[in-house]
Structure formats: C-alpha cells, structure tokens
Amino acid sequence: MSVRKLYAAAAVVALSNATLLCKTQSQPNPIAADYPNDPTGTVNGTIAILPIPYSIARSIIPSEYPILTRAISSILPHLPADEYPAFLQLDIDHDVQASGISIPDFLQAKILFPFVDRLGDGYTSMMYGSQGLISADNLVAVVGSSVYGYVVTGGTFDPPCDAYGCVEGSEDCEEKYFNAYSALDILREQPKIGINFTTTDNSPYSLDVFKNITNQPQFSANKLLCDQFIRLFNSSVTMPPYAPQAIRAQVSAVAPFFAQTTSWSDVYGFQLDNAFIEHNLVQCDSLQGYQFTD
Ligand SMILES: *[C@@H]1O[C@H](CO)[C@@H](O)[C@H](O)[C@H]1NC(C)=O
Ligand SMILES: *[C@@H]1O[C@H](CO)[C@@H](O)[C@H](O)[C@H]1NC(C)=O
Ligand SMILES: *[C@@H]1O[C@H](CO)[C@@H](O)[C@H](O)[C@H]1NC(C)=O
Ligand SMILES: *[C@@H]1O[C@H](CO)[C@@H](O)[C@H](O)[C@H]1NC(C)=O
C-alpha cells in the first residue's frame, strides 16, 4: 500500500469514528412525549422497491415460509408474475429514545423481503431480513439487530451523518446520492449498497404501497421473536415542508446482500422521514392478522 493510500485510509477511519460527533440535518423525534414507554425515533432516508427474479427471492427467504403472491399482486398489480418486490431501506435512525433514555444516531442499509407468510396462516404479511449494514460504532444498534438473527456488517457511510447528500456540481441539488460501505473497506473502493436519485412525478407506486410494506412486522433468523416496527405517516416530519417525495433511482448492491453484484438503472421509491414506534422482541405468533391503518 502506498503512503498516500495509507493516509487516505487513516483519514477515512478517523472520519467514520466521528459518527458520534455527527450533526445530522434531521428534525427531532416529534412523538417521544406521546409514547413515553415505547422506543420511538425517526427514520429519515430513502425507501424503494427493487424488482428481482422470484427465483432469487425464493432462494433467500427460508424455504419453510411461503410467499404471499396474492397480496403482492393486489398491492403491486403491475409487477410481472415472475418478479418479486425486494424492499430497500437506507436511513439515519435519529433521536431514538425510550423512557427518557436516548441512544446515539446511527445509519443503516438493509434489503428486506416483504409478503412472507411467517406464521403459515395464509394471510399475515411479514418482512424477512438476513443482512444489515449498520454504523460500526453504534453497539446498541448492532446488538439490537443481531438479537433478531441478522448478520450485521459494521458500516461507514457517505455522507456520514445523513442518509443522502447532494451530488457535487448538481444544480439545486437535483441529484442526490448515498453510499454504504463495510467498515473493513477502509479505502471505500466498493459500496455494499449505493444509490443515486432524483425526484420524479412519474412514480408507479403510491405512498400507500410503502405504508403497507414498511409496517409489516419484521423477522430474521430468530425463530420466535419479531420486531413490530410501526412507521407513522401522520407526524410533523412527514408533513409539509417535509412531505415525502417520489424518487427515481439507480441502485447497486453486492454481497452479502445478493450473491451476485446487482444493479438497477430505473427503480422507484420515496425520499421521506417517518416517526416510528418500535415494539421489540414481540412473539411473532401474537401478530397474526396485524394490519396498519393511520
Ligand atoms: C431528512 O434528511 C434530509 C437530508 O439530510 C434533510 O434535508 C431533511 O430536512 C430531513 N427531514 C426531516 C423531516 O428532518
Ligand atoms: C452514482 O454516480 C456515481 C458518479 O457518476 C457513480 O460512480 C456511481 O457508480 C453511481 N452509483 C450507482 C448506484 O449507480
Ligand atoms: C398489506 O396488504 C396486504 C394485502 O392487502 C394485507 O394482507 C396486509 O395485512 C397489509 N399489511 C399491513 C402491515 O398493513
Ligand atoms: C397517527 O397514526 C397512528 C397509527 O395509526 C395513530 O395511532 C395515531 O392516533 C395517529 N395520530 C394522529 C395525531 O392522528
């Protein structure tokens, strides 16, 4: 390694250790006082649907759980039958607190698999995940995901304190980007997940599609316990001037998210902030029939 590369690496390590000192542009948690006993916070970033071949989804989702194809076609009627809607979530978890105790902000990148029949009842949609890339310096967040059975990769992010930034030279910040790296990739040679996006008026998906997907109870390798993560769409951080904006994006993801490097040149989603309430370590069985309404 050249001296110059070593210096670059040292600078990146120093930078990534500075997440604690990061100053995010996100607004504070608006609902902490309303739900004093539950963990609450905000998730500010981008979400999108990544169409993938059904066969790849089937190879990632554990074979004992059916996929609720009828629910998929009722919510996403235009998705071809041989495709499956993987769900991309890139965000900063900000101002997370419970019973007056706050945890430091962290960034995360996940690709999740909704519409899974985790309970075998033929109708309750839940969302499976196996891999998460989470700020390497946030032990609470890393352990918090591991408990559910996620394999967590410690990450560093560009930009470091927000879930997207302006592409340099883009006029009026029309083009935005975000890159999530393994913390071991100290030279940042290859993002594990990267996104470039602009806002659009031509999204094929309504916000309701994402209200449904983001509110499906989440589970990973843990055979018993689910994460009931409730995203609210009615708090001040999801209202003008912070209303969700539809986006059109280019995305790339590499292992461990997909066995093969995968890129999408034209996917759709939203740039948005949501307040959330999280019911941790809930018995999955108790969530049978859960539906989100706001
Ligand atoms: C969400 O993050 C973006 C990017 O940092 C910021 O511009 C925006 O104001 C944030 N939204 C809210 C509601 O805090
Ligand atoms: C985003 O744009 C940059 C600059 O053109 C490029 O290097 C990067 O590969 C793009 N990322 C994606 C996910 O397309
Ligand atoms: C999402 O929509 C499906 C199909 O209508 C429904 O069965 C499921 O309960 C909904 N999920 C949530 C979390 O509302
Ligand atoms: C916002 O939505 C949540 C979840 O559906 C609901 O419990 C709450 O009462 C709503 N809040 C307001 C102010 O409407």
Side-chain angles (χ1 to χ4, degrees):
M1 205 189 278
S2 71
V3 170
R4 179 175 299 202
K5 277 196 161 187
L6 265 175
Y7 272 123
V12 170
V13 170
L15 227 129
S16 61
N17 283 338
T19 319
L20 285 174
L21 306 173
C22 261
K23 187 136 177 50
T24 173
Q25 294 177 51
S26 283
Q27 299 301 309
N29 174 344
I31 60 163
D34 300 334
Y35 302 90
N37 302 317
D38 290 316
T40 61
T42 64
V43 273
N44 186 0
T46 55
I47 53 179
I49 287 174
L50 305 177
I52 60 172
Y54 185 86
S55 57
I56 291 188
R58 196 54 282 180
S59 72
I60 294 174
I61 298 164
S63 58
E64 64 261 44
Y65 306 129
I67 296 174
L68 292 162
T69 48
R70 285 240 305 269
I72 296 176
S73 51
S74 83
I75 288 178
L76 297 163
H78 303 301
L79 194 74
D82 58 354
E83 288 186 6
Y84 168 91
F87 172 69
L88 173 71
Q89 167 179 333
L90 305 168
D91 66 58
I92 179 165
D93 284 52
H94 171 59
D95 198 3
V96 180
Q97 40 180 303
S99 310
I101 297 168
S102 293
I103 71 162
D105 288 0
F106 59 93
L107 289 116
Q108 61 172 338
K110 281 183 175 159
I111 293 173
L112 301 171
F113 299 85
F115 303 104
V116 176
D117 188 2
R118 160 69 182 71
L119 303 179
D121 63 6
Y123 68 92
T124 308
S125 289
M126 295 199 177
M127 185 142 67
Y128 172 75
S130 73
Q131 303 291 330
L133 189 75
I134 296 179
S135 296
D137 55 12
N138 192 310
L139 194 62
V140 178
V142 170
V143 171
S145 268
S146 307
V147 168
Y148 290 105
Y150 279 91
V151 177
V152 176
T153 303
T156 64
F157 301 86
D158 173 25
C161 313
D162 286 296
Y164 49 86
C166 303
V167 168
E168 211 172 306
S170 122
E171 206 174 311
D172 297 329
C173 192
E174 253 169 43
E175 290 168 59
K176 300 194 182 83
Y177 79 102
F178 183 64
N179 288 311
Y181 298 89
S182 159
L184 299 177
D185 180 7
I186 51 178
L187 297 177
R188 294 192 163 169
E189 286 176 314
Q190 160 110 79
K192 293 287 184 192
I193 300 185
I195 188 170
N196 293 330
F197 65 94
T198 55
T199 57
T200 179
D201 294 327
N202 297 312
S203 172
Y205 313 125
S206 69
L207 196 57
D208 282 342
V209 166
F210 291 96
K211 285 187 188 176
N212 178 288
I213 291 175
T214 58
N215 279 290
Q216 296 180 18
Q218 297 177 24
F219 71 101
S220 184
N222 187 311
K223 290 280 175 209
L224 203 61
L225 300 173
C226 281
D227 180 11
Q228 188 186 10
F229 190 91
I230 303 170
R231 274 195 198 227
L232 301 183
F233 287 77
N234 58 4
S235 87
S236 58
V237 296
T238 318
M239 306 276 180
Y242 302 113
Q245 303 244 18
I247 61 166
R248 174 171 182 247
Q250 295 78 53
V251 172
S252 68
V254 306
F257 291 99
F258 291 107
Q260 244 135 41
T261 299
T262 315
S263 315
W264 296 260
S265 56
D266 197 14
V267 296
Y268 293 87
F270 279 88
Q271 160 195 313
L272 83 176
D273 194 2
N274 292 115
F276 71 82
I277 306 160
E278 188 168 21
H279 297 151
N280 273 302
L281 307 177
V282 176
Q283 300 260 344
C284 301
D285 290 340
S286 73
L287 295 167
Q288 185 166 35
Y290 174 74
Q291 278 209 308
F292 176 76
T293 44
D294 79 339

